Structures are given as C-alpha cells and as structure tokens.
Amino acid sequence: MLRLERVSKFYSAGGMVSAGFSKVDLEFQLGEFVAITGESGSGKSTLLNVISGLDSFEEGEMYIQGQPTSGYSKEDLENYRKQYIGSIFQTFNLINSYTVYQNVELVLLLSGYDKKEIPDRVHQIIDKVGLSGFEKKKASKLSGGQKQRVAIARALAKETPVIVADEPTGNLDSQSAAEIIQLLHELSKDKLIIIVTHNYEQVEPYVTRKITMHDGRVAEDKQLKAEDLLPAVELKAAKADELTFGSQLRLGLRNTFNIPAKFGLLLLVFLFLCFGAVFEYVSWQNMGDSMDDGWSEYFRYTGKDRILVTKEDKSEFRQKDYDKLAGISNVESVVENDITLDLMIGLAGADGDGNWWGSVFLSETARYADQVTEGRLPKNAKEAVLLVGQDSYAGDHLEEITKGKLELTDDYSGRSLLTHPVKVVGYGFLTEKQLENLRGNGSYSDGYLCMNDKAMDQIRMGNLVQYCTQEIHFADTIMEAGGRWGSYPIYSSEYVPEGQIYIPEDIAMASPYEAAGQDLRLVNKSLYFEDTYTYTVGAAYNKNNCYYYLGIENLDNVDSTAIYVSPKDYRKLFDKENFQSSVLVADEMLVYETEKAIKEAGYKTLVVNDAKISYNDDFEPVYDILILMLLIGGLLVLFFITYFIVKLILKSRNVYFSTIRMLGATKANCSSLLKIELFVVFNLAFFVSLATVLFLKQDTLGIDMLPLMMSYLETGDLMALYVILCAMTILLAARYARQLFSKTAMNAYKEEV
Ligand code: ADP
Ligand code: MG
C-alpha cells in the first residue's frame, strides 16, 4: 500500500547540501510490524518523517495506494497525514497543559469527528491503553510510560492505517519500554506499524520485518515471520474532515484559560493595550479641543455661556431692552454693563513704589456688598472694595493694599483707567463656588474690584475712547486720529473753553493761514455711532506757549500731538449710554437656541466664544493632520510594544502549535485558534477598561481631571476604540501566526524542543 521508489531527501544548510537519505526503495503492506534500525545519523528519522508526510522529499516517488505524492501541495500532505498516519514520538509530544482526555480528544476534533461520537471513542481507547481513571489528569503530571500510553491512545484514536513511531521507548526505562511495545503490537495488528529503534532486542519478538539503515541508504531489508502477515486486509483511510467552528471555539477558549500564568500575562498586556489606547485617544481629543482655544482682542470673558447683544439699529440700551432679554428662556442673567466682563484691571501701588497686587475684574458694589467683612462700602468714585480669594496674592496682602492707594490700569493695554488713584476701604472673600466660576473661564483674575456707578461710568467712558476713532477735517486735510494705538489722542482740559479746540502745530501746519479762528470738524466713530462736531480752533500750541495755553510746563512729558477740548465737550464725545450688553445663558449646550430667540426679539448677537481667534488659524488643517498622525503613531507604538510582549509570552505556545500541526491541524486552524484566544483575552481586558472608564466618569475618586478626560469618551468613541483595538488584536494574531508558519511543522518543532 505504501511504496518508495528511489526516494532521496536532501538538506541544504549554508550552501552545503547533505543527504538525509538517498535512493531508498521500499514497499510496505498492512499488517506489517516493521523495525528500522541503524546507527545514529543514518537517516532513520528522516525516512520516517517523509513517510508520515511531515517532511518533503526531493527525488524519486512515494506512492500511497498507487497514487504518486510528489506533486502534493501542503494541504494535500496535511490531508494525507490525517487520513493515513498516526505518529508516536520519542518525546511524546503531548500537550502538557491538557488532560489525558483532552489530548486524545484533540486529534478527533482536528479530524472533524462528531461531538457526540467523541467521548465514547476517547474513553474506549484510554481504557485500552490502560489509563482508565487518569482521564482528568494533566499530561505534565504523568510518568514517561504513562505519557507514551497517551501518545499511543492518541495515535490509535482516529484509526489510521499506518502508525509510525520514532524511538518510542527512547525515554523510557526497560520495563515500561517493553510494555509499550507490547501494547503497540496488541492494539494494531491490522495496521502497518513502522518503529524506528536502536534497541532492536526490545521489538524483536513482534517484528515481521527488519530494515537496517546505513549512511542514508537501506543496508538490509529482511522479512521475518512472513506467516504472520494478514492476507490482503482492506485499507480504510481515517476520517479527515475539517475542525468544526464549534470545536475551534472550544479549543480556543480552552487554550485561553488552561495555563493561568500565561493567561494572566496576556491579560496584563491587553490591559496595557486598552488603557494605553484609551489614554492616547483621550489625549488626542483633548489636544484637538485645546487647539480650538484661542484668544480675543476685545473680550476678556470668552466663556461658552456668553452672548453679546447689540440693538439692530445700533441705538442705546434702555431698561425695557434689559427686561426683554431677561425674559427669554435659558437666559440666566443680563450683564447690562458688560465692560465688567471685558476689563481686567491691574492693581498697582499709586505712589509709584512698584507694588503689584494682581488683576481683578470690575464689578458693581451691590453685587458683593454682603460679603464685605472688613471696613465699609465706597462713598465716592475714589473708593472701592475688594473681593478676593483667600489664598490669592492680593488676599495675602490685604493690609498693605488697604494702607496705600491704588492706580487702576487696563491689564491688557497698560492704559490708566481713572485719572485719580483709588483707596480700598473694605474687603471680603469670595466663596469656593465664586472662585470656581472665576477660574472656570480660564481667566487669571484674583477677584473683583467693586466701585460705585460714577466710577464705573468714568471707566466705561475711558474704555469707549479706546474703541473710537476720529477724523480731523481741517483746512482741506483729513487726518486719522484716535483708536487704541493711534496718534492725535483727544484729551479734556479745563483750559479750553467750550466749543473750542486746541491743536498741536503739526495739525495747524496743514493750513497756510493762521490756524486760530478757523473751523475744525471732528468725526467721532465707533461700531455704534458716527457723530460730527465742529469746533473753532482756539490755539495752536507748541513747546514755547504750552504753559500759557494749557498749563503744561514741559511738552516733552506729555503726548505732543494730543488735541484738547473742554471737559464738557469731551463728555459729549464719549459719555454715551450703553450700546452693548451681554447675556449669560444657564445651559451652554442651548446657547445657539437662545441666540436664535434673542435675534427673533430684534437684536444682533454674537456668541463670544466663537469670535475667538484661534492661535493657529492658518495651520488648522495641518494641525489636525499632525495630531491625527500623533494618534496613529501612538497606536502603532502601542501595537508593536504589545506585539513584542505577546510574542515573548506566546513563545511557549510554539510547541503547542507545532504539535497540533503534526497531529493534523492546518495553518488556518492554528491561526484561528490563536485569534480566538487573543480575541477572548482582549475582550476581557476591554471590558475591564470599560468598567474603569465608567467608574472614573463618576468622579468617585475626587480627582478633577479624570472625569473631565473621560467625558471625551462617549459611546461612539468607545465603539470606535473597540473596533480599532479589535482590528489590532486580529492583526496581531495574524502576524504572529504568519511568522509561526514561515517554517514547516517539523522544523518548527525541532527548533522548539
Ligand atoms: P537518525 O534519525 O538516523 O539518527 P536523522 O534522520 O536524524 O538520523 O539524520 C540523517 C542525516 O540528516 C544526518 O546526517 C543529519 O545530520 C541530517 N539532518 C537531519 N535533519 C537535518 C536538518 N534539519 N538539516 C540538515 N541536516 C539534517
Ligand atoms: Mg533519529
């Protein structure tokens, strides 16, 4: 039934070709009990491996049932092995972490036996090899003789016509060895048995034929006891179906948990992977979000709850406007004087001692009057009370602050806000909640400076000056003036009579005639108004006459391009009513709905947070790609770290995989077993991470940052992460399987053992 015709097997290593055996002619029949002997290195094992389809051959032809096998593909060879060959090895090749029962069951599963059929078969054969009662014992716990009995049971379980055994007794004491050989003989009378041995005496009582190898060739082929040969037994190939999907799942699950240490390590690695990926993902989202943060030139308070409101016709706000706005749903408060939101006041010592006491927002006294615990409330525009955090810098220096006077400056531009210094006459402390609100919008404010209405009006007027520009029309010339950083600033001076304007010689020179007495038209413009005033030039001042006209002793100490009007005219220019208010909403999520409602009520709106200028406007798409690449890069690093560790852990599994390959598992089988195993571990790890994320979201630990970070992980994100990580796991398994199968089963096995 099995015939070799001038078969040769060559090994090539490092360019050198050596023969495992060469030009072997042999024919085997069912019922034969063949012993192959010969000195070490004579080619016995190689011959046996070729016969059992574990190794390929390079020359000649091997026939099975008259069919040539040289053209067999890997799959054909796998199938051939499943159908015809049961193997027994010197080193047993049991799965040590499996029980006796599971070891025998394994080959039946691999050959696609029916689930119902398996238990009976397994128990029967275990009984036959004399291991009843040991079914549940782990293979690693058995003696050598017992192990080889399991191996025999395994080889016989699926009823292949050929049993090959390579030095099956090599690792056994002589007593067990004799028993094993006898067992083999008894259990396989109708099969072809080929035993490689260098202890011929052991097998002598049973053999029907003795083949002696020498130097890769058959030196002697002797028929003994020909009378024992059965007359032409009908050959029956064993079942060779595919491992069913159910069995794959069962084996995969079994492999996942049967070595606790390995399972624990893998779980740790996958926890690392999951948490790492969650961290990567969250910081990626966080990064994207903070990129959205920008700054605004005009607005100090850019909280997401603020809507700027002006009137459609740019007119001034009236009480009924405030009432109307307050009545709109989701409006928490109307900040009438919204300069209090946008002006950050720097507190400096007024006597020029260089003391800096911090930055605060401006606020109405009434709002915090209850909280003033020391001193009293302000009585005039030169007094203020201070509300600060207990542990702020200003809070630590309240005694010194109240002792002297303060100069108020615009923290942003450095401009003086009031013409006179301010005395802090009382103070108090903010509550934790108030501090949280203060800090929550990203400001660095220490608290609030509360002043009376008159002072606030002055400050607002000063502020408006900053946002107004002027055109000076004089003697056919138009000059741009004012604005934040502009030239020709307008000041008020007691020296200037109402209706007149004093100009520097710079401007006066625009006319070839005497400037004084001529008309000068001033157009004062802001976002909200454009007013034109006509003055008579009262004087053109220079450094010689400035004391006479303006009481200025030295022109070098002031802006020598300023224009001066009377205090009353100055107020006409800038003391406007309010053109702009802000609305703070209760629920930030509904800010656009609220904005719509305000628009419908007849106002113009701006959600202030949207008006921020991004730091990286021009680079936004580049940044997006850059941080996405950071995420991908991070995940790749995670993947390879994980792969590396998994590879180390799975190294111990290589024996397992090469063993089941020799038992008939295909490459696809091994690959899917590995995938199932890693998939199960991954899911457990992901589940643990998920539970942790949900736990952290609840803020049970009291670490502020964690729930915030975790709030980036919505269901969709978690699903995305799951899919990404799942793909990574499958990829990992596939990659590992691929490198595992870059070698033939036999070579892989030889390397591992
Ligand atoms: P035996 O089993 O009779 O001791 P083997 O069949 O193992 O002998 O080896 C036969 C010859 O083939 C020896 O010369 C051995 O060195 C060589 N050989 C066996 N396996 C390999 C291999 N994987 N690569 C290269 N040479 C090998
Ligand atoms: Mg050998």
Side-chain angles (χ1 to χ4, degrees), residues 41 44-46 90 166-167 196:
K44 309 183 293 292
S45 296
T46 310
Q90 178 176 357
D166 193 351
E167 315 228 14
V196 166

Side-chain angles (χ1 to χ4, degrees), residues 11-13 18-21 38-47 166-167 196 747 750:
Y11 289 111
S12 60
S18 65
F21 60 84
E39 70 270 30
S40 180
S42 56
K44 309 183 293 292
S45 296
T46 310
L47 177 62
D166 193 351
E167 315 228 14
V196 166
N747 285 346
K750 277 183 195 154

Side-chain angles (χ1 to χ4, degrees), residues 227-292:
E227 71 278 9
D228 272 11
L229 270 181
L230 299 173
V233 191
E234 197 197 336
L235 179 125
K236 249 174 64 200
K239 190 176 171 71
D241 289 346
E242 261 297 301
L243 181 64
T244 63
F245 183 70
S247 302
Q248 279 184 26
L249 271 184
R250 268 184 53 210
L251 282 178
L253 280 172
R254 180 182 295 168
N255 294 345
T256 310
F257 299 109
N258 71 350
I259 307 173
K262 180 213 60 178
F263 168 67
L265 279 173
L266 275 182
L267 187 63
L268 270 181
V269 176
F270 275 92
L271 279 173
F272 162 79
L273 176 70
C274 289
F275 279 113
V278 164
F279 181 77
E280 291 264 356
Y281 193 86
V282 165
S283 29
W284 171 61
Q285 297 234 316
N286 190 26
M287 224 191 282
D289 257 26
S290 45
M291 286 295 174
D292 291 345

